[in-house]
Amino acid sequence: MSVRASWFTKKKKIRINSVAIYNSLYQYTEKKINQNIQVDEIVDWIKNKTIKEFEKQYKKSPEVGALNNAIGRWNEFIATTLFTQIALEFNQDSSTKVAIFSLPNSKITGLDSAKSYSQFINLLDLNQSQNSGIKKLEQIQNNIFFPSPDYVIVTSKRNIKDQFDEILQRQALRPDILDFYTFLEGSLMSSEIRAVLSLKTSNRPDRRYQPLFEAAIVKAIAYLLAQNWKYYMVASDLTEGDYTVFNHAISPHGLATQQDIKLVDQTYLYTCKEDLKQLILDTLT
């Protein structure tokens, strides 16, 4: 079977295999990213390749809904590839290693489970003695419900840092894998988490409010653990309303404690690699 034959699966409906398509076009996508070509141009290029191959195999156009779902996944894969390359470039000249990675979806577990509903909380080592807030977090972890953040940015100077670049290289090739999460789960010091990142590729107004709940929980956990985790919004388009909300929203726990704690620390346009290099530097300052 040819590589392109695996792009689609025909059952009751013809399914677009977004992962297979991205993987088979990766070497070209990577080159376009490094040439600093706009993300929307890259997505359009993948979309047009897909439509052309679909029409060739099935003599008709793909369904709009299926194509839109695939476009959403390609946006995520390109973002992961792009962030991964930026981290690898930073790590070449730094003793502190940086990693950017996505998380599996949060899921309901039994109330007596040792693991939290939140895959984000499950990253943490709940036995770190130097943080007095960690035991408080452990006691309430099963009552904290929020979706997994799109990306987490971590740093390390410990022996685990030696494996960061190796896993980043795999992640660049296969942005759909979760090797970093598996590697770090249950082992992170709270101080090693530096930022949480939300990716917004939809222009729907409600999309600007969904991540704010996530940001509120992340900032509240950081406050409990006496950490200064940052929360970033990366969006393919920022409307005036987006700028107003992201730049001025106050954290709910800041409201309760009468402190001016920003909910979103910075916003970035998801346009091309060069525009997002500053993200790493901002994370570490």
Side-chain angles (χ1 to χ4, degrees):
M1 184 173 70
S2 70
V3 171
R4 294 200 174 187
S6 68
W7 283 19
F8 314 107
T9 303
K10 189 173 184 180
K11 293 183 180 179
K12 289 183 179 180
K13 291 185 176 181
I14 303 171
R15 177 175 172 268
I16 298 174
N17 298 327
S18 54
V19 175
I21 293 170
Y22 189 84
N23 288 344
S24 67
L25 296 176
Y26 171 75
Q27 67 182 94
Y28 306 104
T29 303
E30 181 189 33
K31 186 179 294 184
K32 290 176 183 293
I33 289 172
N34 285 328
Q35 290 171 343
N36 217 38
I37 292 174
Q38 299 281 308
V39 170
D40 56 357
E41 290 184 38
I42 300 174
V43 172
D44 282 344
W45 175 77
I46 299 174
K47 180 186 73 173
N48 292 334
K49 286 278 187 185
T50 301
I51 293 172
K52 185 176 180 180
E53 186 62 29
F54 192 99
E55 291 174 342
K56 178 181 176 181
Q57 291 191 34
Y58 300 106
K59 312 303 179 188
K60 62 179 182 178
S61 299
E63 292 185 4
V64 174
L67 191 58
N68 285 340
N69 287 337
I71 288 170
R73 295 298 305 279
W74 294 328
N75 261 306
E76 294 170 9
F77 296 156
I78 291 170
T80 301
T81 300
L82 191 154
F83 293 139
T84 301
Q85 289 184 1
I86 292 172
L88 282 166
E89 289 172 9
F90 176 87
N91 289 349
Q92 289 178 358
D93 302 310
S94 175
S95 59
T96 300
K97 296 292 185 180
V98 174
I100 305 178
F101 59 94
S102 54
L103 287 72
N105 293 331
S106 295
K107 58 184 179 181
I108 299 292
T109 56
L111 291 178
D112 58 347
S113 172
K115 287 191 174 183
S116 168
Y117 164 82
S118 165
Q119 301 288 22
F120 176 75
I121 294 175
N122 288 333
L123 278 170
L124 291 165
D125 177 0
L126 297 180
N127 296 311
Q128 45 190 293
S129 57
Q130 78 275 23
N131 194 312
S132 59
I134 206 76
K135 289 303 174 188
K136 296 177 184 177
L137 179 64
E138 186 177 21
Q139 291 166 9
I140 60 173
Q141 63 172 327
N142 283 328
N143 301 107
I144 301 175
F145 302 98
F146 71 108
S148 292
D150 290 322
Y151 297 93
V152 175
I153 303 176
V154 302
T155 59
S156 182
K157 293 183 179 180
R158 297 184 290 146
N159 58 344
I160 61 171
K161 72 177 184 180
D162 297 332
Q163 292 172 266
F164 273 26
D165 285 355
E166 176 188 338
I167 303 175
L168 282 169
Q169 294 283 3
R170 292 204 302 270
Q171 182 174 275
L173 291 169
R174 287 289 308 275
D176 58 304
I177 66 174
L178 296 169
D179 283 8
F180 244 117
Y181 184 86
T182 304
F183 174 62
L184 294 173
E185 184 180 14
S187 69
L188 275 182
M189 299 294 103
S190 55
S191 59
E192 290 175 315
I193 294 178
R194 304 301 295 269
V196 169
L197 192 157
S198 178
L199 179 67
K200 176 180 175 287
T201 58
S202 168
N203 290 329
R204 283 170 47 189
D206 62 312
R207 293 296 189 203
R208 77 168 67 110
Y209 299 108
Q210 291 177 3
L212 296 186
F213 173 70
E214 172 188 294
I217 297 292
V218 167
K219 287 295 185 82
I221 294 172
Y223 184 79
L224 177 65
L225 301 181
Q227 298 298 318
N228 185 31
W229 297 339
K230 296 177 181 178
Y231 192 94
Y232 297 139
M233 286 296 309
V234 176
S236 22
D237 181 53
L238 286 167
T239 65
E240 185 177 346
D242 291 333
Y243 275 112
T244 299
V245 171
F246 298 150
N247 290 341
H248 298 287
I250 187 172
S251 178
H253 73 277
L255 182 65
T257 58
Q258 298 183 348
Q259 294 176 286
D260 186 14
I261 301 173
K262 287 188 68 176
L263 199 53
V264 176
D265 293 281
Q266 187 61 270
T267 58
Y268 304 87
L269 275 174
Y270 174 52
T271 50
C272 59
K273 181 178 177 181
E274 194 64 33
D275 288 348
L276 287 166
K277 286 185 176 181
Q278 186 62 35
L279 189 151
I280 291 287
L281 299 177
D282 290 345
T283 298
L284 302 180
T285 56

